[in-house]
């Protein structure tokens, strides 16, 4: 079967890496540390992948902006304590290997920092599994399409041959702004209902379902 997409871009947290709960806890602990009211689980999870400033405004509206650097430091501290408990979703490694065998270019477009993504790739032993990656601190945060534009430019891949896969509405929104196709996964930070509102091509309830869709449609 001929390929429909030459370049497949993945979000990281909540899509390939089972880190939603750890990020949620780290956000809540960090907001409490700086004197704010910790957000509930749904609010904390909703901002995963967003640009930092709007994310902090949403999860910590009662924290003054001058405390945002401290809030970010406390988040990094708490996440680093929890990161050792985080692992790839079952089936991800095999899915990536099959896509590479089919000749797809694979990339990551993530709201993580470069240091954070590099550490996660080492932890997951996937340092050589992707052809390129972009992070929020070296590009622009989602849903700004800059990360996807940069990845497409790097490989000379047009939007109609590029697919973005993520677990949040920010991922799907970014893909639409970049005029790329999008597939969502409902096992991460956002619910299937919120993802369907952005009309992705498919909402995968599991890694197994995502893998099957990609093998049949990508």
């Amino acid at each position: 079967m001929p390929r429909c997409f030459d370049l497949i871009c993945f979000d990281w947290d909540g899509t390939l890496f089972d880190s939603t709960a750890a990020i949620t806890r780290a956000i809540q602990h960090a907001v409490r540390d700086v004197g704010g009211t910790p957000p509930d689980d749904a609010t904390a999870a909703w901002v995963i992948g967003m640009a930092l400033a709007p994310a902090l405004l949403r999860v910590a509206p009662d924290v003054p902006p001058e405390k945002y650097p401290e809030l970010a430091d406390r988040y990094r501290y708490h996440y680093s304590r929890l990161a050792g408990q985080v692992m790839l979703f079952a089936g991800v490694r095999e899915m990536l290997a099959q896509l590479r065998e089919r000749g797809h270019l694979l990339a990551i477009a993530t709201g993580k920092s470069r240091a954070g993504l590099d550490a996660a790739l080492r932890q997951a032993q996937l340092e050589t599994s992707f052809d390129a990656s972009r992070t929020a601190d070296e590009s622009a945060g989602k849903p700004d399409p800059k990360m996807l534009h940069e990845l497409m430019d790097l490989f000379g891949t047009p939007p109609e041959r590029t697919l973005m896969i993520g677990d949040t509405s920010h991922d799907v929104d970014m893909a639409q702004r970049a005029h790329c196709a999008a597939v969502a996964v409902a096992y991460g930070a956002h619910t299937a209902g919120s993802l369907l509102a952005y009309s992705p091509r498919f909402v995968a309830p599991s890694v197994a379902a995502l893998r099957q869709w990609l093998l049949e449609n990508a």
Side-chain angles (χ1 to χ4, degrees):
M1 180 185 298
R3 290 196 309 267
C4 295
F5 302 105
D6 299 316
L7 173 61
I8 301 178
C9 301
F10 289 92
D11 171 57
W12 181 257
D13 290 305
T15 301
L16 301 178
F17 211 47
D18 190 6
S19 48
T20 300
I23 294 172
T24 298
R25 296 287 90 75
I27 289 171
Q28 292 166 332
H29 290 322
V31 173
R32 185 182 292 110
D33 285 353
V34 299
T37 303
D40 60 27
D41 288 358
T43 301
W46 195 87
V47 305
I48 293 174
M50 287 179 64
L52 182 60
L56 294 179
L57 184 62
R58 187 177 182 96
V59 298
D62 58 344
V63 173
E66 58 267 24
K67 284 195 171 185
Y68 283 0
E70 181 186 359
L71 177 58
D73 286 342
R74 295 308 296 169
Y75 166 77
R76 285 189 285 269
Y77 166 76
H78 286 293
Y79 184 77
S80 69
R81 293 175 63 243
L82 297 167
Q85 307 168 21
V86 180
M87 61 187 67
L88 286 174
F89 286 106
V92 161
R93 195 178 305 277
E94 295 79 7
M95 176 181 69
L96 295 174
Q98 282 188 294
L99 293 173
R100 290 190 72 85
E101 288 173 6
R102 285 164 51 106
H104 296 284
L105 293 164
L106 302 182
I108 295 173
T110 177
K112 297 183 86 65
S113 67
R114 170 52 59 188
L117 177 61
D118 288 348
L121 287 169
R122 287 193 299 272
Q123 181 180 342
Q125 298 182 329
L126 288 179
E127 301 102 309
T128 61
S129 295
F130 296 92
D131 299 288
S133 59
R134 286 295 183 276
T135 61
D137 61 340
E138 63 190 13
S139 185
K142 301 169 186 178
D144 190 300
K146 185 178 180 182
M147 281 192 275
L148 287 180
H149 287 157
E150 291 175 347
L151 290 167
M152 289 188 290
D153 288 346
L154 178 64
F155 297 112
T157 308
E160 62 270 20
R161 302 288 298 180
T162 301
L163 175 66
M164 175 67 201
I165 302 171
D167 69 313
T168 72
S169 56
H170 321 305
D171 296 306
V172 183
D173 191 8
M174 175 177 69
Q176 291 174 342
R177 294 181 188 213
H179 305 290
C180 300
V183 164
V185 303
Y187 51 79
H190 287 194
T191 65
S194 64
L195 294 165
L196 284 167
Y198 284 80
S199 302
R201 294 199 177 188
F202 178 62
V203 177
S206 64
V207 173
L210 173 63
R211 178 181 177 181
Q212 189 64 35
W213 189 93
L214 289 170
L215 294 178
E216 293 175 356
N217 297 278

